[in-house]
Amino acid sequence: MAILVTGGAGFIGSHTVVQLLENNQEVIIVDNFYNSSADVLDKIRTIANKDFKFYEYDITCKEQMDEVFRDNDIEAIIHFAGYKAVGESVEKPLMYYSNNLVSTFVLCEMMEKYGCKRFVFSSSATVYGKPASVPIKEDFPLSTTNPYGTTKLMTERILTDIQFAHPDWSIALLRYFNPIGAHKSGLIGENPKDIPNNLMPYILKVASGELECLNVFGDDYDTHDGTGVRDYIHVVDLARGHVLAINKVMNSSGVHIYNLGTGKGYSVLDIVNNFERATGIKIKYKITDRRPGDIDECYADTAKAKEELGFVAEADIDEMCKDGWNFVMHNK
Ligand code: WQD
C-alpha cells in the first residue's frame, strides 16, 4: 500500500518524503517540476537510502492521474502540489484557481474511483487572514485577502463537504505557519528559481551576495519592534507533522484540522539578528513601505496538534538559520 505525494520534489514535499521513506513507507511522487527540479529526486534517495516511484505528471490531468491510481495500490494522499506565490496570485487569479482547485477535484475523483479514503492537505495559516488576537487557534474565524489564500480556504471547504458525503474518509487539513530551514545534510532545501517573495530565502540570497540588500516591509506594525511577527517552523519539524498526520488519518475518519507552528513569534528584525548571530554574516537591510496585505502578527496556538497528533516543533531559530545557510553553502 503506497502513499501518493503530490509535489514531492518541492521544499516541504521532499523533506516529508525523506521521513516517510525512513519510516519504511512505500512512496509514489507525482511532480511536474513547476516549482522544483529533478535533481531533488536522487538527493531524496541518497538521504533516505530508499527508492520510490516517480511520475512527471500534471495532477490536473485526469488521464495521467487515472494511470497512477490504476497502476498502484494507493492508500493515502499527501497533497502539496500547488501554486503558492501570494503576489502572483493577485496578478493571475484564474491560473491559481484553476490549478489549485482542479488538482483537488481530480485527486478526489480518483479517490472515489479507486477506493482511497485518506487525504492530508497542505493548507496554510493564511486562511486566518488578520487574526483578532494571537496565538491563533484552529477554531478562529477564517478569511483570506488574496487568491492564493482563497484557494487554500476553498479547498478546505471542498474537502470538508466531500468527507461529509463519505463518512468513512479521513482528511487532515494542516495549516502551516512559516516553514524555513533545510535538511541537515544540506542536500535538500528551499531553492527559489527567481527573486524570492518570502523573508528567509531573500535573506539567504543577500547572505550569499546574490542580492544586495533586504527590504524590510514596514516598521510601523503593532509589534515589539514595529516589523512583522511570524511563526517560523523548521521544515524538518513540519515534515514530521505530516508523518504524524498520516498515522492519524490511517486510524480515524472525519476532518482533522491542525496548526503546524512553534507557538513563538519572531519579527523581521529578530530573524535578521538571529541569522547574523547564527552564521556570522551581516545582512544589509533598509526599511521600506509595507507590502500590501501583510498583517502585524501571526503565530500558532499549538495545543491541538500536540494533544491529538503528539506534534511539538523541536528546532529553535538558531538551528533554522544555520540549516538554511548550510543548504546554500552546499548548493553554490
Ligand atoms: C514574512 C515577514 C513580511 C519578505 C506567506 C504566505 C504563507 C506562506 C508563507 C506559502 C512579513 C516580511 C518578507 C521581504 C520582508 N506561503 N518580509 N521582506 O507573508 O508571512 O506568509 O509566505 O506557503 O501562506 O502568506 O511570509 O516570508 O513573505 O513574510 O520584510 O523581502 O517578512 O512583511 O512580515 P508571510 P513572508
Side-chain angles (χ1 to χ4, degrees), residues 4-7 30-32 57-66 69 77-84 94-112 119-122 148 151-152 154-156 158-159 162 169:
L4 170 63
V5 181
T6 75
V30 174
D31 202 307
N32 64 2
Y57 281 177
D58 182 338
I59 54 172
T60 63
C61 175
K62 203 181 282 191
E63 293 69 32
Q64 290 182 341
M65 295 313 292
D66 194 82
F69 276 80
I77 300 170
I78 306 181
H79 180 31
F80 290 105
Y83 298 154
K84 53 160 275 186
L94 179 57
M95 181 178 113
Y96 271 68
Y97 284 115
S98 177
N99 182 71
N100 289 7
L101 298 183
V102 171
S103 57
T104 300
F105 299 151
V106 170
L107 288 170
C108 289
E109 285 170 34
M110 293 302 117
M111 287 173 74
E112 286 187 335
F119 194 104
V120 175
F121 175 60
S122 163
Y148 156 75
T151 68
K152 293 296 186 185
M154 290 172 82
T155 301
E156 287 197 2
I158 289 161
L159 291 171
I162 291 172
W169 285 22

Side-chain angles (χ1 to χ4, degrees), residues 124 148 178 197-199 215-217 228 230 232 268 291 294:
S124 166
Y148 156 75
N178 292 59
N197 299 302
N198 297 134
L199 178 65
N215 298 311
V216 176
F217 298 148
R230 299 292 186 273
Y232 297 91
V268 177
R291 177 173 64 178
D294 273 356

Side-chain angles (χ1 to χ4, degrees), residues 208-252:
S208 66
E210 206 174 322
L211 292 172
E212 199 254 330
C213 173
L214 169 70
N215 298 311
V216 176
F217 298 148
D219 66 349
D220 58 351
Y221 286 101
D222 182 15
T223 64
H224 66 275
D225 63 11
T227 63
V229 169
R230 299 292 186 273
D231 183 332
Y232 297 91
I233 179 171
H234 199 296
V235 64
V236 172
D237 280 333
L238 191 60
R240 181 163 46 81
H242 288 76
V243 174
L244 293 170
I246 275 286
N247 295 340
K248 176 75 178 178
V249 297
M250 291 298 192
N251 300 291
S252 66

Side-chain angles (χ1 to χ4, degrees), residues 1-3 19-27 50-51 75 243 246-247 250:
M1 298 282 269
I3 295 177
Q19 292 192 33
L20 291 171
L21 293 171
E22 288 172 340
N23 285 13
N24 296 314
Q25 290 274 14
E26 182 187 349
V27 172
K50 296 258 178 39
D51 203 357
E75 184 179 28
V243 174
I246 275 286
N247 295 340
M250 291 298 192

